Amino acid sequence: MPVKKRKLPDSEDHGQKCKITSFTRPQVRGVKPNSSERQFSGKKCLAWFHKYAGPDKVIGPEAMEKFCEDICVEPENIIMLVLAWHLEAAKMGYFTKDEWLGGMTILQCDCTERLKGKLDYLRSELNDAVAFKNIYRYAFDFARDTNQRSLDMDTATSMLALLLGRTWHLFPVFHQFLEQSKYKGLNKDQWYNVLEFSRTINTDLSNYDEDGAWPVLLDEFVEWQKTRSASRLPYITNKREGERKLTAETKPLT
């Protein structure tokens, strides 16, 4: 989870002005403690929170780095985004006391060791199509600045790389398109549709419907990529013909 060091929010306003408007609350599956394990302790969980929280009762970016170090997870690891989704964290780089207690109670984690034991479970949720879609949608509001309706392009591309970079074969090309485009950011409709596009459209774009209800951004990407591919085709064809000619000329006589 990329950590943004922003001005620390007022602890009271943080809860009242939550910018996350629509995402499905995580449903924890298969993480109930065994009968041999001790029961979850809310008191211990609160003490665990105060180990990292400052006097304003918020875990901020610097404390977040220490927390990540303790659970052996890099701050930029996507697992931190999954955890933030479970905590329903409203702001990147920050966990409030209510977010911490609510999410950790559901996860039944009241100490570092218990959370480390749930990391494989959190990672497995990325392979669940429904859970991943909810995490992806949550990431938009989580990563954007509170006073902005869109994600700035640097943040958007970083989050897309985190979420889709390893699974969507067209992501490097799409990233290149965004870098040279006129767009300064992505709005929520564009963000949501990029995921749908990555899941349903073939790598060669052969099944893309230009008359479909796709955002103009994706229409322009498809046109840009097809134009780029068409301009490369003569070069590839000529190169292959040249290679065949050279092979024929150097083939030994029998």
Side-chain angles (χ1 to χ4, degrees):
M1 177 178 69
V3 175
K4 287 187 175 181
K5 295 186 178 181
R6 301 170 178 162
K7 183 179 179 181
L8 192 64
D10 182 84
S11 58
E12 294 181 357
D13 290 344
H14 192 279
Q16 296 175 355
K17 299 180 180 179
C18 178
K19 62 185 172 67
I20 296 183
T21 56
S22 60
F23 71 93
T24 303
R25 184 179 180 87
Q27 297 296 319
V28 180
R29 306 177 305 280
V31 294
K32 294 182 179 180
N34 298 327
S35 56
S36 59
E37 294 181 346
R38 65 170 178 78
Q39 291 187 344
F40 171 84
S41 169
K43 183 177 181 179
K44 188 172 183 179
C45 186
L46 182 59
W48 186 29
F49 170 80
H50 284 300
K51 175 183 176 181
Y52 302 104
D56 41 30
K57 299 180 182 179
V58 174
I59 296 176
E62 291 184 4
M64 192 71 72
E65 291 182 3
K66 178 63 171 67
F67 170 66
C68 290
E69 180 182 337
D70 288 349
I71 63 173
C72 303
V73 173
E74 292 293 329
E76 297 80 12
N77 194 303
I78 194 171
I79 297 303
M80 290 303 297
L81 177 61
V82 180
L83 178 62
W85 174 61
H86 274 282
L87 269 58
E88 299 186 356
K91 191 176 184 69
M92 184 182 291
Y94 298 91
F95 291 154
T96 68
K97 183 176 70 172
D98 288 343
E99 291 167 352
W100 181 278
L101 292 177
M104 293 301 185
T105 298
I106 293 174
L107 287 169
Q108 292 289 286
C109 292
D110 56 14
C111 63
T112 300
E113 291 71 24
R114 281 196 168 185
L115 181 57
K116 289 172 72 173
K118 298 282 173 62
L119 294 180
D120 285 343
Y121 164 74
L122 296 178
R123 189 173 292 107
S124 72
E125 291 192 297
L126 297 169
N127 299 321
D128 180 284
V130 175
F132 182 82
K133 182 177 181 178
N134 289 328
I135 293 167
Y136 178 91
R137 291 190 166 196
Y138 161 79
F140 179 86
D141 284 325
F142 178 61
R144 72 180 171 85
D145 289 320
T146 306
N147 59 345
Q148 299 293 326
R149 298 184 64 181
S150 299
L151 273 180
D152 68 84
M153 192 56 75
D154 286 342
T155 302
T157 53
S158 294
M159 295 301 290
L160 286 173
L162 184 70
L163 289 155
L164 301 178
R166 296 184 180 182
T167 58
W168 185 27
H169 295 308
L170 276 178
F171 172 73
V173 181
F174 184 65
H175 189 186
Q176 187 177 350
F177 163 75
L178 291 176
E179 287 184 328
Q180 61 81 53
S181 74
K182 63 185 178 183
Y183 294 94
K184 304 300 182 183
L186 296 182
N187 62 37
K188 182 171 288 189
D189 181 63
Q190 292 166 338
W191 178 264
Y192 283 10
N193 274 279
V194 168
L195 176 62
E196 188 65 20
F197 185 98
S198 72
R199 287 180 164 183
T200 60
I201 302 302
N202 297 336
T203 304
D204 63 1
L205 308 175
S206 58
N207 64 333
Y208 184 79
D209 181 6
E210 296 179 355
D211 296 323
W214 297 104
V216 174
L217 167 77
L218 292 173
D219 288 336
E220 293 177 351
F221 166 62
V222 171
E223 181 180 358
W224 175 84
Q225 174 61 1
K226 286 184 175 180
T227 301
R228 200 172 74 117
S229 297
S231 65
R232 286 169 54 87
L233 187 58
Y235 167 77
I236 295 172
T237 302
N238 292 336
K239 182 179 179 182
R240 288 176 178 173
E241 289 179 352
E243 289 174 348
R244 285 196 294 267
K245 183 177 180 181
L246 180 62
T247 301
E249 290 175 349
T250 57
K251 184 177 181 180
L253 297 175
T254 56

